[in-house]
Amino acid sequence: MSQTKPAAPAMYKTNAAFAVLLCGMVGYFVFWGLGYTNHNHVPLFLLATAFGVFMAFNIGGNDVANSFGTSVGAGTLTVPQALIIAAVFEVSGAVIAGGEVTHTIRSGIVNLESLPLRPLDLVFIMMSALLAAALWLLFATKKGLPVSTTHAIVGGIVGSSLCLGFLLAAPGSSPWAMVQWDKIGTIAVSWVLSPLLGGAVAYLLFSLVKKYVLDYNASIEEQLKAIKAEKKAYKESHKHRFEAMDEQEKIEITSAMARDAQIYGENDFDPAELESAYYRGLYAIDSRKNSIDAYKAMYSWVPAISAIGGMVISSMLIFKGLSNLKLGVSTLTNTLIIMMIGAAIWVGTFIYAKTLKRKDISKSTFLMFSWMQVFTASGFAFSHGANDIANAIGPFAAIMDVLRTDRIGVSAPVPSIVLLTFGTGSIGSDAAVPPEAMLTFGVALIVGLWFIGKEVIQTVGKGLAELHPSSGFAAELAAASVVMAASVFGLPVSSTHILVGAVLGIGLVNRNANWKMMKPIALAWVVPLPAAALLAVISFFALRSIF
């Protein structure tokens, strides 16, 4: 008991520090936002800010926690370390590359152009969606279930939009026709396609890692251990034989061994020069030991895997993160940059592997995979901050523009989630999201990870399968590869579902997958759309009746 007492005050202080950070950031944002919106609809602005920050808080507790679950579960990072990396890379991704529209999807899920839409109706739709999605995420997070925040916010927007449609639809028209159900179908497809792709790629990747690195190292260590035991037994046997000799034999053997000892350590000695049977036998044992290529995996496979992993994560950063900055860099240039990064990582990993010679092979291998996993986790964090924060900032950006101008689509910075849901009708135009908003929501992500993310980290990192640095790295690399390939081919996938499938793919290889845990997770994947839609309907009616 005495050892645990000091931790409580420290934890209390840490919690208080994060609470003060969030409150201070939100307070500053409110002060700034009141001026930005010209003090229009102040109660709505304050409530919308609360809903948006609450959404970002829950994205941090679920989506960010899901991203770092493999690193923490593998023992590569502690929760505080994961928090520090998330704080740097998530917020950097959000502020540096998260403020632009990442991709304009021309055919949205809901078409509101046929309705006589008032500006505040759009505000109520977005606020309802934010609150509904945040409440669902909070429930799933407290249950430790990794779910898709994108599906939750889309469900919320669809539900509140349909609610408005039934209120404003002309006689004879069906509000259900506003929804493009084929787009909803692609989301349903992702429930199956995402984990299958993630699991298949992770299974293949980790099978190779296990066969050519882990199993090879284990086999080498067994051989070295057997040779070491044989050498020890050989010395003991010689000792007993030597003690049984008479004095004359001992003198002769000792003289021969002394001469052999002088030349045995030389690099260019001739084995034929050995006089004693002891050193000839010892040489035979040492020759077998030296013939074993103990560091083959560390010098060949690990640098190659590291380079491939670095190139995949770099491509994710460049094509899904930094592309939001619209730097005007050609695809060829980006490809050459990625190849240079891969080459640098290969060389660096190889040199680092050389420094680990004469150390425990398994521990050295896991150490190298740990560094690689930190790199992949950092890349994931930046990409996540640059893209998925749009689930919170997208609807909120549309709200702020309407409150500021009392019109729809004047200069609204509308990230991809709004365009995904409504299409490119008259909802807004491209513009940079104010950095104050991005920074505030980025801080909310980190605070959410700290306060409520531990359950999801536990599920992804330990609940679905046991992970170690090499398997955790394989899961993250497989997930990143599938996300990038799906982006190229336009496949409807969810990064959350992909990573869960990847962890299960690792579990299949190691035969420790926890399929019982997958049942509630799969249910939680299906429920977000209808659950968020229903909550959004209730929220929409409440907001419309109050304001």
Side-chain angles (χ1 to χ4, degrees):
M1 293 296 291
S2 61
Q3 295 179 344
T4 60
K5 286 182 180 179
M11 183 64 68
Y12 174 79
K13 291 179 180 179
T14 304
N15 291 344
F18 276 108
V20 170
L21 173 64
L22 180 61
C23 293
M25 196 66 229
V26 172
Y28 167 75
F29 175 75
V30 168
F31 174 78
W32 173 86
L34 288 173
Y36 179 80
T37 57
N38 302 315
H39 291 83
N40 295 333
H41 307 286
V42 173
L44 273 178
F45 170 71
L46 295 176
L47 197 59
T49 299
F51 289 176
V53 171
F54 184 44
M55 177 63 177
F57 178 88
N58 285 287
I59 291 175
N62 199 290
D63 244 16
V64 180
N66 175 54
S67 300
F68 282 93
T70 51
S71 300
V72 176
T76 301
L77 298 173
T78 63
V79 173
Q81 289 170 338
L83 185 74
I84 293 172
I85 292 178
V88 174
F89 288 91
E90 288 275 350
V91 176
S92 297
V95 175
I96 295 173
E100 295 286 339
V101 178
T102 59
H103 180 64
T104 300
I105 302 176
R106 298 191 179 278
S107 55
I109 293 175
V110 179
N111 179 20
L112 293 177
E113 293 183 11
S114 60
L115 298 177
L117 189 66
R118 298 180 303 145
L120 285 185
D121 286 332
L122 178 61
V123 171
F124 297 149
I125 288 173
M126 296 302 183
M127 290 177 65
S128 303
L130 285 172
L131 180 60
L135 289 173
W136 165 250
L137 285 177
L138 180 62
F139 171 80
T141 302
K142 297 305 291 183
K143 294 291 185 182
L145 304 174
V147 296
S148 172
T149 57
T150 302
H151 294 176
I153 194 69
V154 167
I157 295 177
V158 168
S160 54
S161 300
L162 283 175
C163 181
L164 180 66
F166 277 102
L167 292 176
L168 302 181
S173 63
S174 173
W176 297 104
M178 297 190 315
V179 180
Q180 296 190 28
W181 296 105
D182 59 325
K183 301 296 181 181
I184 299 295
T186 62
I187 293 178
V189 168
S190 75
W191 297 336
V192 179
L193 185 63
S194 298
L196 283 180
L197 289 175
V201 175
Y203 182 90
L204 293 174
L205 178 61
F206 187 61
S207 293
L208 292 175
V209 172
K210 191 171 186 298
K211 178 180 179 181
Y212 292 104
V213 179
L214 303 182
D215 288 349
Y216 178 83
N217 286 346
S219 172
I220 292 298
E221 287 187 327
E222 287 297 322
Q223 294 179 51
L224 293 176
K225 189 181 296 183
I227 290 175
K228 184 178 180 180
E230 180 185 354
K231 190 173 182 179
K232 182 179 179 181
Y234 176 77
K235 290 181 177 180
E236 288 291 330
S237 174
H238 173 76
K239 179 181 178 182
H240 293 314
R241 289 198 305 270
F242 184 81
E243 291 175 349
M245 295 178 183
D246 57 37
E247 292 300 321
Q248 182 62 34
E249 289 179 316
K250 286 181 179 181
I251 293 174
E252 294 176 358
I253 293 295
T254 302
S255 299
M257 290 177 60
R259 290 189 294 271
D260 288 346
Q262 289 180 338
I263 66 171
Y264 190 75
E266 298 176 358
N267 294 328
D268 58 347
F269 88 98
D270 185 359
E273 297 177 1
L274 295 175
E275 301 177 29
S276 64
Y278 170 76
Y279 271 97
R280 287 195 296 269
L282 192 63
Y283 174 77
I285 295 175
D286 286 341
S287 295
R288 293 208 314 276
K289 178 182 177 181
N290 294 332
S291 67
I292 297 175
D293 193 356
Y295 297 93
K296 177 183 177 180
M298 288 182 61
Y299 293 165
S300 57
W301 281 96
V302 173
I305 294 170
S306 300
I308 293 171
M311 293 171 68
V312 171
I313 296 299
S314 298
S315 64
M316 174 179 282
L317 288 175
I318 292 173
F319 292 112
K320 288 184 67 65
L322 295 177
S323 63
N324 300 348
L325 296 177
K326 297 180 174 63
L327 299 175
V329 181
S330 67
T331 301
L332 176 61
T333 301
N334 285 331
T335 303
L336 292 174
I337 292 173
I338 292 170
M339 293 177 65
M340 287 191 294
I341 292 173
I345 292 175
W346 186 90
V347 173
T349 306
F350 179 79
I351 294 174
Y352 181 63
K354 286 285 188 179
T355 66
L356 298 176
K357 194 171 184 178
R358 299 184 180 277
K359 296 182 179 180
D360 184 279
I361 298 175
S362 294
K363 290 182 179 179
S364 298
T365 303
F366 279 169
L367 179 62
M368 296 178 68
F369 275 114
S370 296
W371 281 107
M372 292 150 58
Q373 194 176 16
V374 171
F375 178 77
T376 55
S378 301
F380 256 116
F382 186 91
S383 180
H384 181 271
N387 291 281
D388 287 1
I389 198 174
N391 291 333
I393 200 66
F396 185 75
I399 292 171
M400 286 192 66
D401 183 66
V402 172
L403 295 180
R404 185 169 68 91
T405 63
D406 277 327
R407 285 186 289 172
I408 297 175
V410 178
S411 60
V414 186
S416 56
I417 184 61
V418 180
L419 296 174
L420 167 64
T421 310
F422 292 109
T424 57
S426 59
I427 298 304
S429 60
D430 297 351
V433 176
E436 290 83 358
M438 301 304 301
L439 185 58
T440 302
F441 281 55
V443 169
L445 283 177
I446 306 309
V447 176
L449 171 63
W450 175 258
F451 278 107
I452 62 173
K454 296 179 180 64
E455 287 83 0
V456 174
I457 287 177
Q458 178 71 21
T459 298
V460 176
K462 297 181 179 179
L464 290 170
E466 292 183 10
L467 298 176
H468 45 68
S470 58
S471 57
F473 168 78
E476 291 179 1
L477 179 56
S481 302
V482 173
V483 168
M484 285 304 304
S487 299
V488 173
F489 293 105
L491 300 176
V493 296
S494 164
S495 58
T496 297
H497 301 175
I498 289 170
L499 187 57
V500 169
V503 174
L504 286 174
I506 300 298
L508 284 175
V509 177
N510 290 331
R511 298 181 181 180
N512 60 7
N514 184 5
W515 294 105
K516 292 182 179 179
M517 178 62 72
M518 192 58 206
K519 293 179 181 179
I521 292 177
L523 182 62
W525 289 353
V526 178
V527 170
L529 277 175
L534 180 59
L535 289 170
V537 168
I538 298 172
S539 302
F540 183 84
F541 275 119
L543 289 170
R544 213 164 187 265
S545 61
I546 295 173
F547 297 99

